[in-house]
Amino acid sequence: MLNRSAGLLAIACSLVFGGALTACASRANAPAMPHASPPTASQLQAFQWTLDSASDGQGQAMAVLFPHADRRFVMEFMDDRMAVSGGCNSLGGNYRTVDAGTLEVGPLMGTRKACEVPLMEADKAISALLAQPLQLLLVAGSPPVLRLVSSQGQTLVWTGTPKL
């Protein structure tokens, strides 16, 4: 009985670890992540940025930022001002980039519409995320991708659409 249990354990381990090794090997053959670098002010200002994904410091999706599938946050940079829309209210404030790729956003002011609770919660969440210093990384491409990363690892991924 002991030999049979040990044999079954060995088979189970080989299946588990063999699968893990196969998964590792398939990732090793995956294409490398494109090079990301801090964007220039003109790169930020040339695009309208649509929020595609958001994750917390543990890599879990931040669903609060996506209360409706057909509504996404959009961010625009103009000179030293930025605007964010897509939740309940339009938000805007000053911004600056410092220390080779850190975004600092001043207090955001917004319209004061009353909307359904999930939209107002989304506004509150995006405001809180933008209130902290965020590392800016741009992956050039078509379309370009802008990543904003907090010191706690929260990550906002935005896709750029050229402004007309």
Side-chain angles (χ1 to χ4, degrees), residues 53-63 65 129 150 152-156:
S53 67
S55 58
D56 63 18
Q58 289 73 46
Q60 300 298 310
M62 297 177 71
L65 294 174
L129 286 165
S150 76
Q152 296 85 30
Q154 298 157 313
T155 303
L156 303 174

Side-chain angles (χ1 to χ4, degrees), residues 93-112:
N94 293 327
Y95 82 94
R96 66 183 185 144
T97 56
V98 295
D99 300 330
T102 299
L103 175 68
E104 291 182 349
V105 176
L108 291 175
M109 296 196 281
T111 57
R112 301 186 76 140

